[in-house]
Amino acid sequence: MKRKTHLLFCATAVWTAMAGPSFAQDVAPAAPPADAASEAGDDGAIVVTARRREERLSDVPTAASVIDAAALTDRGGAQTSGELLADQPSIRFNNLSSSVTSEISIRASSTARATNGDPSVGLYRNGSYIGGGAVGGRNFSRLDMLDIGRVEVLRGTQGALYGRNAVGGAINIISAEPGFDLSGWASARYGFETNSFQMQGAVNVPLGEGAAVRISGDLVQQDKGFFYNPDNDVYFDRQKGHGLRGQLRLARGPVDIVLLAETQRLTTPAIHYQIFIPAGTPGFPGGYIQDRFRYPWSTAPRASQDIDGLQAIVRVDLGGARLNATTFFRKRHSEYDLDNDGVSAAELARARAAGQVGPATPIDPGSASYVVDTTDMLSQDLHVTGGSDRLTWLFGVEAMLLDSDFSVTTTRTPTLANPSPGNVAPARLHFESYAAYGSLGLDLTDRLNLTGELRYTRDSRSISARLYDLGTGLPTGGPTRVIDDSIEADNLSYNATLSYKLAPRILAYAKVGSSYRAGGFNTRLSDPRAPSPVEVLFGNENSTSYEVGIKGQPARRGYFAIAGYYTDLRDLIAQVDDGCALTNPTCPVAAVSYLTNAGNAKSWGIEAEYSQGFDIGAGSGRLALSGSRQGGEVKSGRYAGLDLAQVPDWLASANLNLRYPVARDVTITGNILVSAQWGGKQELTPTSVDLDDYRLVNLRFGVEFGGFGIAAFANNVFDKVYYVAQAPTINRYSQPRVVGLEARYSF
């Protein structure tokens, strides 16, 4: 805590030193930063900060995409990462039914899933890293989706400028900032099948010369859903809660400051799964298969995520250079409850009487897990950019401190042989990371540019974990359940890029770069009978990636990008499990997933995207297409020859948006979004099942009267229900069709 306070004090001192003299100048306010929507008809001209300085998307020599606020509004917004990224190439949302456990991967980057490991994708809000922590740190929260200005998606190794965990890429959600005009918007949405009511909105108010505030809010109330727990009369996929954000912007002379405070209190969809055990399985003579949408858990399903955040962004125009300082604090509290056996006592008795479950099959209806995590994160980034006609440069430093208090409480039914009601395993993780980074770009000719990027990072992690009996409160499990460990590691990541302008609006490039995914600790250890017990420690994963691409604007209002890549992965961090299962007679309990260094691996792929704006009489439209082919396998170790898990062979999307005026101030609107997946393996095992193929279609049709609009929507029009995950005894399913209405007003 002392170090966090010291870091915050130093940051405040820097702001004061920078801002004091500048605010004393009585000059006109600085212009707001370029917004992604400012060139909505010309994707390549969108201004981004992908390389931590402002430049046109078409001039950035890497695979990058932008989702702007207008595009999100056209398709009805996004409340989850899966909805946000549905039309992006090479990106897969690993949906584990709950936002606190779901995960994003890019370009075949590995997933951590039901563990407490870090993601393989850098997750950022307004330039600040928000990943990490035991639960909830591999996915964006609902709060992050509120009042988005734009989203910058960087695919491929980004370790040099973005640091830890940007192996597959980095995603930066940039919130809409206060502007110096009176404006705002509000929307109300209702989903019929789920009885879901949602409201979002924002209001922007100028306070005088160079000052403005922006207030954004989100409210959701959904008591029903598709996945039902009859024993507790509750839906797994219910939601209830709110989010609120306030921002103050002060722009005077060369200084532009944005202060942000936000909070979320949310009951979010809970983890759910179907027990699926075919007839003839040992211990299950008649087989036991639950209904796809009704799960008789004795433990009431629940998941929640509360967030409090503060951020200060200071931008200073130094004449020939620009300084950016960002301080960020986030407190994230996540919880979820899980029925380990997936049945209640009454349901088990019925299944035994029906001959579905053997009379001696060891199933405990009282077995459950209660997971709680509180993660505090404080980060400070300071970088300066500048350049001349042929030279650009950047230098920056970053510090991050993270504390995660994490516990798993496991309950059981006491017996004469074992009177314990269960145990609790608390753990405390402390993580410190310090880095210095920079880049240098040189125009060798009017068309040829060479850019180098370098980052040095020093990480320190420590953990303390124990196991206590719930009945006695005494330590249990022996010395293997006493964990006091630490890791210290440094890393040097780089990018070298050579780009060439084939034509004024066409750029070709080749790059090589490196990155790392931080190692850590597994704290949820195995049953003593497990065939492959959990290993406590796993080290960093390091990667080197090679990429070639071409991008540009071949026609008015058109933009394309094509890229191919190959990545070498050393000490791949992969998710495996300990081999326990309800059907395993030697360890008949739910499997424990954990992370391990699975050996060296490779991944590869090719991706393409194209968008084109066009006119239809008095109306207009935009068509965006994307597709990717990817793959990978482990090259060494005990998993050698196996395909990388959770990597679809193919991903594709198409997004068509139309607007047509039919009278004065009356416009008809329509949007269709198609996303699809084919091929790939679920797990890193020789017997893994394939990922389920799907093709999803979302439709939206509406009419606008000036600033007011109303639209009808149907998500998953053809009611496609597919497996989002499969394991030896469980299935997880996607959400069926939802039809609803949305009203929106803007001024």
Side-chain angles (χ1 to χ4, degrees):
M1 188 63 190
K2 289 182 178 179
R3 294 193 182 190
K4 290 182 181 178
T5 304
H6 179 67
L7 182 59
L8 192 60
F9 176 80
C10 290
T12 304
V14 170
W15 300 340
T16 303
M18 292 187 303
S22 302
F23 274 109
Q25 302 175 39
D26 186 14
V27 295
D35 189 271
S38 63
E39 298 284 354
D42 190 352
D43 288 355
I46 290 174
V47 175
V48 298
T49 54
R51 294 194 291 179
R52 294 191 180 269
R53 61 174 180 269
E54 292 184 356
E55 53 191 333
R56 296 193 316 166
L57 177 62
S58 59
D59 293 333
V60 179
T62 193
S65 304
V66 169
I67 308 167
D68 64 35
L72 280 175
T73 300
D74 288 340
R75 67 185 200 219
Q79 280 75 49
T80 69
S81 298
E83 294 174 346
L84 179 70
L85 304 168
D87 63 346
Q88 297 298 298
S90 298
I91 295 184
R92 180 170 187 269
F93 179 58
N94 184 28
N95 183 3
L96 293 180
S97 67
S98 176
S99 63
V100 299
T101 54
S102 296
E103 188 170 5
I104 303 165
S105 65
I106 303 178
R107 286 190 173 182
S109 63
S110 54
T111 52
R113 289 180 281 169
T115 68
N116 60 352
D118 281 354
S120 60
V121 173
L123 305 179
Y124 292 83
R125 264 285 310 285
N126 302 329
S128 295
Y129 183 71
I130 62 170
V135 176
R138 298 189 298 274
N139 187 19
F140 290 110
S141 70
R142 185 181 175 97
L143 181 64
D144 296 319
M145 307 291 164
L146 173 62
D147 197 20
I148 290 175
R150 71 178 185 272
V151 183
E152 298 182 0
V153 181
L154 311 179
R155 300 183 300 275
T157 297
Q158 305 295 330
L161 292 185
Y162 286 86
R164 74 197 69 79
N165 304 327
V167 174
I171 302 171
N172 186 18
I173 295 180
I174 300 169
S175 303
E177 290 188 355
F180 301 111
D181 61 339
L182 180 63
S183 59
W185 62 272
S187 70
R189 174 173 173 156
Y190 184 79
F192 292 100
E193 287 81 3
T194 57
N195 193 26
S196 170
F197 178 73
Q198 302 181 54
M199 290 185 64
Q200 290 89 30
V203 60
N204 194 97
V205 180
L207 299 180
E209 185 180 8
V213 296
R214 188 178 184 94
I215 306 297
S216 312
D218 171 46
L219 177 69
V220 59
Q221 177 73 49
Q222 177 185 322
D223 295 324
K224 292 181 60 178
F226 294 102
F227 302 93
Y228 183 58
N229 172 224
D231 292 69
N232 295 283
D233 188 25
V234 66
Y235 286 89
F236 289 81
D237 44 339
R238 70 193 190 279
Q239 296 186 76
K240 183 178 181 180
H242 67 271
L244 184 65
R245 177 182 305 134
Q247 298 180 80
L248 170 65
R249 184 175 177 191
L250 303 170
R252 180 63 67 89
V255 178
D256 193 348
I257 298 176
V258 177
L259 304 176
L260 177 152
E262 60 185 7
T263 186
Q264 170 182 284
R265 297 293 181 268
L266 182 67
T267 297
T268 188
I271 296 173
H272 51 79
Y273 56 79
Q274 171 203 37
I275 301 295
F276 191 99
I277 304 174
T281 303
F284 297 84
Y288 180 71
I289 300 175
Q290 294 176 346
D291 182 86
R292 285 200 305 173
F293 300 111
R294 291 173 66 91
Y295 310 139
W297 288 18
S298 54
T299 303
R302 185 184 67 93
S304 65
Q305 191 166 69
D306 298 339
I307 295 173
D308 295 299
L310 298 170
Q311 188 175 46
I313 303 172
V314 180
R315 297 180 285 253
V316 183
D317 187 345
L318 301 176
R322 184 179 178 88
L323 183 145
N324 292 266
T326 305
T327 302
F328 179 75
F329 173 78
R330 172 174 278 202
K331 186 182 188 70
R332 183 181 66 233
H333 182 83
S334 306
E335 299 185 13
Y336 68 87
D337 301 339
L338 187 69
D339 195 309
N340 290 343
D341 51 274
V343 294
S344 63
E347 171 64 11
L348 180 59
R350 185 207 62 78
R352 290 194 195 277
Q356 296 173 304
V357 181
T361 303
I363 296 177
D364 179 6
S367 178
S369 292
Y370 304 91
V371 180
V372 179
D373 173 62
T374 300
T375 294
D376 293 340
M377 177 184 296
L378 176 65
S379 66
Q380 174 68 54
D381 177 84
L382 181 71
H383 65 270
V384 184
T385 61
S388 58
D389 290 341
R390 290 189 173 273
L391 184 70
T392 59
W393 55 267
L394 176 150
F395 175 74
V397 293
E398 181 193 68
M400 186 188 79
L401 306 177
L402 181 149
D403 286 302
S404 179
D405 289 306
F406 171 67
S407 71
V408 179
T409 300
T410 304
T411 61
R412 61 179 301 276
T413 302
T415 62
L416 289 176
N418 185 355
S420 172
N423 56 65
V424 58
R428 181 174 178 81
L429 171 70
H430 179 71
F431 182 25
E432 295 186 15
S433 182
Y434 303 94
Y437 61 92
S439 70
L440 187 65
L442 176 63
D443 289 336
L444 301 176
T445 70
D446 290 340
R447 294 189 173 189
L448 185 65
N449 176 272
L450 177 64
T451 297
E453 301 167 349
L454 196 65
R455 181 187 186 100
Y456 173 77
T457 307
R458 179 68 178 176
D459 289 342
S460 174
R461 288 190 179 215
S462 61
I463 193 166
S464 177
R466 299 290 188 272
L467 183 69
Y468 299 98
D469 185 272
L470 281 177
T472 65
L474 298 175
T476 187
T480 61
R481 304 310 296 263
V482 177
I483 303 172
D484 291 300
D485 215 333
S486 63
I487 304 174
E488 291 192 1
D490 54 7
N491 175 269
L492 191 65
S493 295
Y494 66 88
N495 264 334
T497 306
L498 188 67
S499 60
Y500 183 75
K501 285 191 175 181
L502 300 174
R505 296 165 69 90
I506 306 293
L507 180 71
Y509 65 90
K511 63 183 289 189
V512 58
S514 66
S515 60
Y516 80 103
R517 182 180 173 194
F521 314 93
N522 294 301
T523 57
R524 192 176 182 187
L525 302 186
S526 295
D527 186 286
R529 300 166 292 179
S532 303
V534 172
E535 304 160 358
V536 172
L537 181 67
F538 58 95
N540 283 1
E541 171 187 298
N542 294 278
S543 64
T544 303
S545 187
Y546 308 86
E547 178 181 337
V548 294
I550 184 171
K551 63 194 302 186
Q553 301 160 267
R556 178 177 173 268
R557 299 166 67 186
Y559 175 78
F560 83 99
I562 302 172
Y565 63 90
Y566 176 88
T567 302
D568 270 318
L569 298 151
R570 298 175 300 283
D571 296 321
L572 169 75
I573 297 175
Q575 185 263 338
V576 296
D577 67 54
D578 63 0
C580 294
L582 294 178
T583 55
N584 185 342
T586 62
C587 186
V589 297
V592 174
S593 298
Y594 66 97
L595 296 179
T596 186
N597 293 110
N600 297 333
K602 64 179 180 181
S603 64
W604 55 270
I606 186 169
E607 61 194 26
E609 58 180 323
Y610 183 77
S611 65
Q612 180 66 58
F614 54 89
D615 295 324
I616 310 176
S620 63
R622 173 160 289 272
L623 175 65
L625 304 172
S626 77
S628 60
R629 170 74 168 99
Q630 54 272 313
E633 68 174 6
V634 182
K635 299 191 296 184
S636 66
R638 57 176 169 157
Y639 302 101
L642 297 181
D643 290 341
L644 296 182
Q646 298 291 317
V647 178
D649 294 336
W650 294 92
L651 291 165
S653 73
N655 188 6
L656 175 64
N657 193 72
L658 300 171
R659 300 179 62 84
Y660 195 88
V662 294
R664 184 178 179 181
D665 291 332
V666 179
T667 302
I668 293 175
T669 65
N671 182 270
I672 178 171
L673 173 63
V674 182
S675 56
Q677 166 185 297
W678 299 272
K681 295 293 183 181
Q682 281 273 357
E683 305 293 343
L684 193 65
T685 63
T687 58
S688 172
V689 299
D690 293 337
L691 292 172
D692 210 3
D693 298 343
Y694 66 77
R695 287 166 294 280
L696 303 178
V697 179
N698 294 349
L699 287 178
R700 184 178 177 86
F701 178 81
V703 59
E704 295 178 355
F705 307 90
F708 177 78
I710 186 166
F713 65 88
N715 294 338
N716 190 5
V717 171
F718 300 108
D719 203 23
K720 169 66 175 177
V721 177
Y722 61 93
Y723 297 111
V724 296
Q726 288 180 278
T729 59
I730 66 170
N731 295 325
R732 288 192 174 100
Y733 295 99
S734 64
Q735 179 175 280
R737 178 177 52 232
V738 175
V739 176
L741 294 173
E742 180 181 10
R744 184 180 177 93
Y745 177 71
S746 60
F747 64 92

